[in-house]
Amino acid sequence: MTRSATETDLGRTRRARRIGRVLTETHPDAHCELDHGSPLELAVATILSAQCTDKKVNEVTPKLFARYPTAADYAGADRGEVEEMIKPTGFYRNKTTSLIQLGQALVERYDGRVPDRLADLVTLPGIGRKTANVILGNAFDVPGITVDTHFQRLVRRWELTTETDPVKIEHEIGAMFPKRDWTMLSHRIIFHGRRVCHARKPACGACTLAKLCPSYGTGPTEPAAAAKLLKGPRARDLATAAGVDPELVPAQAVRAEAP
Protein backbone atom coordinates (compact mmCIF):
# COMPACT_ATOMS: atom_id res chain seq x y z
CA MET A 1 0.00 0.00 0.00
CA THR A 2 1.37 3.41 -0.92
CA ARG A 3 0.44 6.71 0.59
CA SER A 4 -0.86 9.60 -1.47
CA ALA A 5 2.14 11.52 -2.75
CA THR A 6 0.28 14.80 -2.26
CA GLU A 7 -0.63 14.38 1.42
CA THR A 8 1.79 15.91 3.89
CA ASP A 9 2.42 14.52 7.36
CA LEU A 10 0.45 17.43 8.80
CA GLY A 11 -2.39 16.82 6.36
CA ARG A 12 -2.45 13.16 7.28
CA THR A 13 -2.60 13.95 10.98
CA ARG A 14 -5.44 16.40 10.41
CA ARG A 15 -7.34 13.79 8.38
CA ALA A 16 -6.68 11.21 11.10
CA ARG A 17 -8.22 13.52 13.68
CA ARG A 18 -11.23 14.16 11.47
CA ILE A 19 -11.64 10.39 11.19
CA GLY A 20 -11.43 10.21 14.97
CA ARG A 21 -14.16 12.84 15.39
CA VAL A 22 -16.47 11.07 12.92
CA LEU A 23 -15.91 7.76 14.70
CA THR A 24 -16.86 9.42 18.01
CA GLU A 25 -20.21 10.38 16.50
CA THR A 26 -20.67 7.07 14.66
CA HIS A 27 -19.96 4.75 17.59
CA PRO A 28 -21.12 6.41 20.83
CA ASP A 29 -21.51 2.91 22.29
CA ALA A 30 -17.88 1.87 21.75
CA HIS A 31 -16.43 0.05 24.75
CA CYS A 32 -14.43 -3.00 25.76
CA GLU A 33 -16.66 -5.91 24.78
CA LEU A 34 -15.05 -8.36 27.20
CA ASP A 35 -17.11 -8.50 30.41
CA HIS A 36 -14.97 -8.03 33.52
CA GLY A 37 -15.08 -6.61 37.01
CA SER A 38 -11.38 -6.40 37.88
CA PRO A 39 -7.93 -6.20 36.24
CA LEU A 40 -7.45 -9.95 36.82
CA GLU A 41 -10.76 -10.80 35.16
CA LEU A 42 -9.89 -8.62 32.17
CA ALA A 43 -6.45 -10.23 31.87
CA VAL A 44 -8.04 -13.69 31.91
CA ALA A 45 -10.77 -12.72 29.42
CA THR A 46 -8.23 -11.19 27.06
CA ILE A 47 -6.13 -14.36 27.09
CA LEU A 48 -9.24 -16.39 26.30
CA SER A 49 -10.20 -14.03 23.45
CA ALA A 50 -7.31 -15.16 21.22
CA GLN A 51 -8.85 -16.73 18.08
CA CYS A 52 -12.28 -16.49 19.72
CA THR A 53 -15.18 -14.05 19.67
CA ASP A 54 -15.79 -11.80 22.66
CA LYS A 55 -19.34 -13.13 22.80
CA LYS A 56 -18.13 -16.70 23.32
CA VAL A 57 -15.62 -15.58 25.96
CA ASN A 58 -18.38 -13.76 27.82
CA GLU A 59 -20.43 -16.96 27.87
CA VAL A 60 -17.57 -18.87 29.49
CA THR A 61 -16.16 -16.38 31.99
CA PRO A 62 -18.97 -16.03 34.60
CA LYS A 63 -18.46 -19.59 35.88
CA LEU A 64 -14.67 -19.31 35.50
CA PHE A 65 -14.50 -16.05 37.45
CA ALA A 66 -16.72 -17.48 40.19
CA ARG A 67 -14.57 -20.60 40.49
CA TYR A 68 -11.22 -18.75 40.40
CA PRO A 69 -11.62 -15.27 41.93
CA THR A 70 -7.93 -14.69 42.75
CA ALA A 71 -4.52 -15.13 41.15
CA ALA A 72 -3.73 -17.76 43.78
CA ASP A 73 -6.77 -19.74 42.64
CA TYR A 74 -5.43 -19.88 39.09
CA ALA A 75 -1.93 -20.69 40.35
CA GLY A 76 -3.24 -23.76 42.16
CA ALA A 77 -5.95 -24.72 39.70
CA ASP A 78 -6.56 -28.24 38.45
CA ARG A 79 -5.55 -28.25 34.79
CA GLY A 80 -8.28 -30.63 33.69
CA GLU A 81 -10.97 -28.58 35.38
CA VAL A 82 -9.80 -25.33 33.76
CA GLU A 83 -9.51 -26.98 30.35
CA GLU A 84 -13.07 -28.24 30.56
CA MET A 85 -14.41 -24.81 31.55
CA ILE A 86 -12.66 -22.86 28.80
CA LYS A 87 -12.85 -25.51 26.06
CA PRO A 88 -15.48 -23.56 24.01
CA THR A 89 -12.97 -20.73 23.47
CA GLY A 90 -10.59 -22.96 21.50
CA PHE A 91 -6.86 -23.62 21.99
CA TYR A 92 -7.88 -24.47 25.53
CA ARG A 93 -4.72 -26.41 26.46
CA ASN A 94 -2.41 -23.51 25.65
CA LYS A 95 -4.79 -21.04 27.28
CA THR A 96 -4.99 -23.17 30.43
CA THR A 97 -1.19 -23.16 30.64
CA SER A 98 -1.18 -19.37 30.29
CA LEU A 99 -3.83 -18.91 32.99
CA ILE A 100 -2.09 -21.16 35.52
CA GLN A 101 1.32 -19.62 34.82
CA LEU A 102 -0.19 -16.12 34.96
CA GLY A 103 -1.60 -16.86 38.40
CA GLN A 104 1.76 -18.23 39.56
CA ALA A 105 3.68 -15.20 38.25
CA LEU A 106 1.26 -12.74 39.85
CA VAL A 107 1.52 -14.51 43.22
CA GLU A 108 5.32 -14.80 43.07
CA ARG A 109 6.13 -11.31 41.74
CA TYR A 110 3.21 -8.98 42.42
CA ASP A 111 1.51 -10.23 45.61
CA GLY A 112 -1.32 -11.63 43.50
CA ARG A 113 -2.21 -8.30 41.90
CA VAL A 114 -2.15 -7.37 38.22
CA PRO A 115 0.48 -4.62 37.75
CA ASP A 116 -0.47 -1.31 36.14
CA ARG A 117 2.69 -0.71 34.09
CA LEU A 118 3.24 -1.83 30.51
CA ALA A 119 6.81 -2.91 31.24
CA ASP A 120 5.58 -5.26 33.98
CA LEU A 121 2.52 -6.56 32.16
CA VAL A 122 4.42 -7.73 29.08
CA THR A 123 6.62 -9.97 31.24
CA LEU A 124 3.62 -12.01 32.36
CA PRO A 125 2.65 -15.35 30.74
CA GLY A 126 0.00 -14.94 28.04
CA ILE A 127 0.25 -11.12 28.09
CA GLY A 128 1.65 -9.48 24.97
CA ARG A 129 1.77 -5.77 24.23
CA LYS A 130 -1.73 -5.74 22.71
CA THR A 131 -3.23 -7.46 25.75
CA ALA A 132 -1.26 -5.19 28.07
CA ASN A 133 -2.73 -2.09 26.41
CA VAL A 134 -6.24 -3.53 26.73
CA ILE A 135 -5.67 -4.04 30.47
CA LEU A 136 -4.07 -0.62 30.99
CA GLY A 137 -6.77 1.28 29.14
CA ASN A 138 -9.81 -0.53 30.50
CA ALA A 139 -8.82 -1.67 33.98
CA PHE A 140 -6.49 1.15 35.05
CA ASP A 141 -7.55 4.08 32.88
CA VAL A 142 -4.00 4.39 31.54
CA PRO A 143 -4.19 5.45 27.86
CA GLY A 144 -3.16 2.73 25.43
CA ILE A 145 -3.60 1.85 21.76
CA THR A 146 -4.74 -1.69 21.05
CA VAL A 147 -3.47 -2.80 17.63
CA ASP A 148 -5.62 -5.83 16.90
CA THR A 149 -6.40 -7.13 13.40
CA HIS A 150 -9.27 -4.66 12.92
CA PHE A 151 -7.20 -1.68 14.02
CA GLN A 152 -4.29 -2.65 11.80
CA ARG A 153 -6.52 -3.22 8.76
CA LEU A 154 -8.38 0.07 9.08
CA VAL A 155 -5.46 2.43 9.70
CA ARG A 156 -3.75 0.94 6.65
CA ARG A 157 -6.91 1.26 4.55
CA TRP A 158 -7.12 4.88 5.60
CA GLU A 159 -3.44 5.21 4.58
CA LEU A 160 -2.51 6.63 7.95
CA THR A 161 0.42 4.23 8.07
CA THR A 162 2.25 1.81 5.81
CA GLU A 163 3.74 -0.10 8.75
CA THR A 164 2.91 -3.75 9.30
CA ASP A 165 4.60 -4.18 12.69
CA PRO A 166 2.00 -3.64 15.45
CA VAL A 167 4.40 -1.75 17.72
CA LYS A 168 5.38 0.65 14.94
CA ILE A 169 1.70 1.13 14.06
CA GLU A 170 0.94 1.84 17.72
CA HIS A 171 3.60 4.53 17.90
CA GLU A 172 2.80 6.12 14.54
CA ILE A 173 -0.95 6.36 15.13
CA GLY A 174 -0.44 7.38 18.75
CA ALA A 175 1.61 10.38 17.62
CA MET A 176 -1.40 11.66 15.65
CA PHE A 177 -3.78 11.82 18.61
CA PRO A 178 -3.75 13.23 22.15
CA LYS A 179 -2.73 10.51 24.58
CA ARG A 180 -6.00 10.88 26.52
CA ASP A 181 -7.89 9.70 23.40
CA TRP A 182 -5.91 6.50 22.76
CA THR A 183 -8.10 3.96 24.58
CA MET A 184 -11.43 5.16 23.21
CA LEU A 185 -9.94 5.65 19.73
CA SER A 186 -8.96 1.97 19.81
CA HIS A 187 -12.48 0.92 20.80
CA ARG A 188 -14.08 3.04 18.07
CA ILE A 189 -11.77 1.77 15.35
CA ILE A 190 -12.35 -1.83 16.45
CA PHE A 191 -16.12 -1.23 16.53
CA HIS A 192 -15.96 0.23 13.02
CA GLY A 193 -13.92 -2.74 11.80
CA ARG A 194 -16.39 -5.23 13.23
CA ARG A 195 -19.56 -3.50 12.15
CA VAL A 196 -18.78 -1.56 8.96
CA CYS A 197 -15.29 -1.91 7.49
CA HIS A 198 -15.07 -5.69 7.19
CA ALA A 199 -11.96 -7.45 5.96
CA ARG A 200 -13.34 -9.00 2.79
CA LYS A 201 -16.25 -6.76 1.92
CA PRO A 202 -16.45 -3.38 3.66
CA ALA A 203 -19.75 -1.49 3.60
CA CYS A 204 -18.28 1.48 1.71
CA GLY A 205 -21.64 2.84 0.53
CA ALA A 206 -22.96 2.96 4.10
CA CYS A 207 -19.86 4.32 5.83
CA THR A 208 -19.62 7.65 7.61
CA LEU A 209 -15.93 7.88 6.64
CA ALA A 210 -16.50 7.62 2.87
CA LYS A 211 -15.21 11.14 2.15
CA LEU A 212 -12.10 10.67 4.29
CA CYS A 213 -11.12 7.18 3.09
CA PRO A 214 -8.67 6.73 0.21
CA SER A 215 -9.78 3.10 -0.07
CA TYR A 216 -13.44 3.98 -0.71
CA GLY A 217 -14.74 1.52 -3.30
CA THR A 218 -12.98 -1.54 -1.86
CA GLY A 219 -16.48 -2.75 -1.04
CA PRO A 220 -19.85 -1.97 -2.68
CA THR A 221 -20.64 1.74 -2.91
CA GLU A 222 -24.33 1.31 -3.83
CA PRO A 223 -26.30 2.04 -0.61
CA ALA A 224 -28.67 -0.93 -0.89
CA ALA A 225 -25.81 -3.41 -1.24
CA ALA A 226 -23.66 -1.72 1.40
CA ALA A 227 -26.46 -1.49 3.97
CA LYS A 228 -26.81 -5.28 3.94
CA LEU A 229 -23.20 -5.56 5.13
CA LEU A 230 -23.66 -3.52 8.31
CA LYS A 231 -23.70 -5.61 11.49
CA GLY A 232 -24.67 -5.35 15.12
CA PRO A 233 -27.52 -3.97 17.23
CA ARG A 234 -26.98 -0.42 15.94
CA ALA A 235 -26.77 -1.39 12.26
CA ARG A 236 -29.75 0.77 11.32
CA ASP A 237 -28.36 3.71 13.28
CA LEU A 238 -25.10 3.30 11.40
CA ALA A 239 -26.98 3.43 8.10
CA THR A 240 -28.79 6.60 9.16
CA ALA A 241 -25.52 8.22 10.22
CA ALA A 242 -24.14 7.52 6.74
CA GLY A 243 -27.22 9.02 5.06
CA VAL A 244 -28.59 5.65 4.01
CA ASP A 245 -32.19 4.50 4.44
CA PRO A 246 -32.15 2.29 7.58
CA GLU A 247 -34.92 0.15 6.11
CA LEU A 248 -32.31 -1.22 3.69
CA VAL A 249 -30.64 -2.97 6.63
CA PRO A 250 -32.10 -6.49 6.95
CA ALA A 251 -33.30 -7.69 10.35
CA GLN A 252 -30.68 -10.45 10.46
CA ALA A 253 -27.91 -7.82 10.20
CA VAL A 254 -29.18 -6.17 13.38
CA ARG A 255 -29.09 -9.52 15.16
CA ALA A 256 -25.75 -10.52 13.65
CA GLU A 257 -22.80 -10.96 15.93
CA ALA A 258 -20.05 -8.46 15.13
CA PRO A 259 -16.97 -10.64 14.44
Side-chain angles (χ1 to χ4, degrees):
M1 180 183 292
T2 59
R3 284 176 171 165
S4 169
T6 60
E7 189 172 43
T8 65
D9 288 344
L10 178 59
R12 188 174 303 110
T13 295
R14 285 175 172 167
R15 182 166 60 86
R17 292 194 178 194
R18 286 199 297 274
I19 287 172
R21 288 193 292 272
V22 173
L23 289 175
T24 299
E25 297 172 359
T26 304
H27 302 289
D29 58 330
H31 63 280
C32 177
E33 295 190 278
L34 291 170
D35 295 339
H36 64 280
S38 69
L40 177 62
E41 289 185 356
L42 182 55
V44 169
T46 309
I47 288 172
L48 295 182
S49 71
Q51 304 296 312
C52 181
T53 65
D54 290 353
K55 181 181 179 182
K56 179 59 66 176
V57 172
N58 291 339
E59 291 173 0
V60 167
T61 50
K63 287 184 179 179
L64 186 72
F65 293 162
R67 180 71 179 86
Y68 306 103
T70 70
D73 292 320
Y74 286 102
D78 177 80
R79 167 174 287 276
E81 186 179 68
V82 176
E83 287 184 356
E84 188 62 32
M85 292 182 80
I86 69 170
K87 198 169 188 177
T89 70
F91 301 97
Y92 60 94
R93 291 191 179 92
N94 287 342
K95 290 178 181 179
T96 295
T97 297
S98 291
L99 294 182
I100 292 173
Q101 291 181 351
L102 172 65
Q104 292 169 345
L106 290 175
V107 169
E108 292 167 8
R109 289 190 258 150
Y110 299 104
D111 296 322
R113 297 184 178 182
V114 176
D116 61 0
R117 295 193 324 133
L118 181 68
D120 294 326
L121 285 167
V122 295
T123 68
L124 295 169
I127 308 291
R129 190 178 180 96
K130 180 184 77 173
T131 299
N133 276 323
V134 171
I135 295 167
L136 288 174
N138 298 284
F140 295 110
D141 203 25
V142 175
I145 287 180
T146 303
V147 183
D148 75 346
T149 55
H150 299 290
F151 190 104
Q152 182 167 334
R153 179 178 75 253
L154 269 60
V155 296
R156 284 174 56 81
R157 270 186 180 163
W158 298 332
E159 296 184 14
L160 299 181
T161 182
T162 57
E163 298 291 352
T164 56
D165 177 74
V167 177
K168 291 180 179 178
I169 291 173
E170 177 187 334
H171 291 314
E172 187 166 4
I173 302 303
M176 297 179 180
F177 293 89
K179 192 172 183 179
R180 65 178 181 273
D181 295 341
W182 287 356
T183 299
M184 285 309 301
L185 174 71
S186 299
H187 288 321
R188 289 166 187 145
I189 290 177
I190 291 168
F191 259 54
H192 201 70
R194 287 176 166 174
R195 290 155 174 77
V196 183
C197 193
H198 312 297
R200 294 180 183 174
K201 207 171 182 182
C204 291
C207 178
T208 53
L209 296 174
K211 294 180 180 178
L212 295 168
C213 181
S215 298
Y216 178 76
T218 302
T221 58
E222 204 279 317
K228 293 177 182 178
L229 299 173
L230 297 174
K231 288 186 178 179
R234 292 188 65 254
R236 287 179 174 150
D237 294 328
L238 296 175
T240 300
V244 172
D245 181 357
E247 294 302 317
L248 293 173
V249 179
Q252 61 264 33
V254 178
R255 295 192 298 268
E257 178 183 340

